[in-house]
């Protein structure tokens, strides 16, 4: 075990509501990622050959060149806000890409420098440098420091929450252990964990489990319907994690449109379509960290 947070069953917590009495907060986390050519980590469409692995590099690059823009158009049509999880190297590698979402007013969340590297395996000072490099570059482009962080490959060391708090972050997204935000202890004060999905996440499901897009879309709908019913007893958070090189593919985008249109049609006054940052901001005003 660890000492970051205590064990408290969701059935034993104080009740509260999201803004305007809403019970289910829904956010979409869109991962915008860049990769080194010829080295480093990267999801695979097919087993990679010797580097440079052109097949898989080019497949991922499609997401930044085409898929992300198709997805932005869809989110525009549906009027949905996003939390955009940004590798900071994208501002230089793909000029205009992050700016497309910046123009929508989406939240920009720190997501490391590139998804070719993991932060959790680094010595503490090197991890601190990675966090600061990414944060400073985002601040230069956005004119504000990001409030939230998702580690590349959900990678944390034993001191990552401490380093994020010390770098000025107010919430992190790496943990999928709850359906409500949870306060974490760090050596310099509390930081909030906002639920981030690993089931409603296209990487584990489509890349890992080889699930097809139609089934993933059905998962989104089923999860929404069940969580909306459960939210009568507890306020909940439902996240959907997407990557443009997966759901920016035309045949998958069709099913994403179906899923989002369906759950929008099922939404009522109980549902809050929002961002992870807005969830964190609201939760911090009503549930204070314990000393």
């Amino acid at each position: 075990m660890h000492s970051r947070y205590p064990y408290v069953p969701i059935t034993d917590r104080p009740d509260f509501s999201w803004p305007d009495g809403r019970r289910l907060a829904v956010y979409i986390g869109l991962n915008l990622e860049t990769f080194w050519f010829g080295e480093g980590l990267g999801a695979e469409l097919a087993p990679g050959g010797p580097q440079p692995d052109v097949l898989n590099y080019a497949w991922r690059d499609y997401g930044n060149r085409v898929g992300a823009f198709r997805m932005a158009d869809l989110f525009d049509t549906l009027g949905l806000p996003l939390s955009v999880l940004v590798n900071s190297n994208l501002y230089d590698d793909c000029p205009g890409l992050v700016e497309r979402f910046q123009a929508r007013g989406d939240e920009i969340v720190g997501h490391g420098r590139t998804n070719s590297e993991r932060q959790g395996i680094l010595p503490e000072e090197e991890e601190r440098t990675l966090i600061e490099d990414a944060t400073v570059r985002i601040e230069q482009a956005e004119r504000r420091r990001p409030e939230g962080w998702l580690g590349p490959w959900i990678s944390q060391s034993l001191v990552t929450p401490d380093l994020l708090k010390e770098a000025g972050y107010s919430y992190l997204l790496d943990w999928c252990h709850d359906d409500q935000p949870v306060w974490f202890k760090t050596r310099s004060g509390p930081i909030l964990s906002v639920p981030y999905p690993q089931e409603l996440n296209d990487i584990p499901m489509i890349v890992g489990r080889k699930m097809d897009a139609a089934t993933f879309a059905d998962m989104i709908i089923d999860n929404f319907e069940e969580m909306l019913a459960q939210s009568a007893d507890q306020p909940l958070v439902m996240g959907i994690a997407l990557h443009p090189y997966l759901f920016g593919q035309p045949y998958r985008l069709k099913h994403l449109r179906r899923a989002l249109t369906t759950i929008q049609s099922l939404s009522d006054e109980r549902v809050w379509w929002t961002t992870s940052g807005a969830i964190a901001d609201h939760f911090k005003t009503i549930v204070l960290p314990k000393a």
Side-chain angles (χ1 to χ4, degrees), residues 49-252:
Q51 293 287 5
D53 179 5
V54 170
L55 186 157
N56 288 302
Y57 177 87
W59 170 66
R60 294 189 298 265
D61 207 29
Y62 177 92
N64 291 338
R65 300 172 63 85
V66 180
F69 295 93
R70 303 290 193 230
M71 295 180 79
D73 290 343
L74 172 61
F75 298 130
D76 285 348
T77 299
L78 298 178
L80 292 176
L82 299 173
S83 293
V84 185
L85 317 174
V86 172
N87 284 169
S88 62
N89 286 5
L90 278 171
Y91 290 103
D92 301 307
D93 292 350
C94 301
L97 172 57
V98 183
E99 290 82 353
R100 172 67 174 88
F101 296 90
Q102 180 190 64
R104 285 174 32 89
D106 291 324
E107 178 192 13
I108 304 300
V109 178
H111 191 31
R113 298 176 296 206
T114 167
N115 260 53
S116 287
E117 60 184 352
R118 298 183 195 272
Q119 70 185 84
I121 62 174
L122 299 175
E124 181 171 341
E125 286 308 309
E126 291 184 27
E127 184 179 7
R128 187 190 305 275
T129 297
L130 183 154
I131 292 169
E132 186 63 14
D133 286 349
T135 305
V136 167
R137 186 66 185 90
I138 292 173
E139 183 179 21
Q140 288 173 346
E142 304 296 329
R143 301 295 187 263
R144 58 174 295 176
R145 290 171 77 88
E147 293 288 328
W149 179 273
L150 177 75
W153 296 102
I154 321 294
S155 178
Q156 287 201 352
S157 71
L158 293 175
V159 296
T160 300
D162 305 302
L163 295 176
L164 291 173
K165 176 68 177 182
E166 290 159 11
Y169 284 88
S170 65
Y171 78 92
L172 54 85
L173 284 169
D174 298 295
W175 290 65
C176 64
H177 67 302
D178 213 295
D179 285 336
Q180 292 181 348
V182 174
W183 284 107
F184 276 42
K185 295 179 180 178
T186 80
R187 59 197 181 195
S188 58
I191 190 170
L192 190 64
S193 171
V194 174
Y196 181 78
Q198 289 301 334
E199 294 272 351
L200 290 189
N201 185 322
D202 55 9
I203 288 285
M205 293 298 109
I206 290 175
V207 176
R209 298 186 184 178
K210 310 304 181 186
M211 181 178 289
D212 62 58
T215 303
F216 187 84
D218 291 341
M219 279 179 57
I220 293 174
I221 297 167
D222 291 345
N223 200 84
F224 176 84
E225 291 179 329
E226 181 63 24
M227 290 193 83
L228 186 57
Q230 292 176 359
S231 70
D233 297 319
Q234 299 98 21
L236 303 176
V237 175
M238 173 177 156
I240 305 168
L242 303 170
H243 296 74
Y245 55 83
L246 289 171
F247 267 93
Q249 298 286 341
Y251 74 98
R252 291 196 184 103

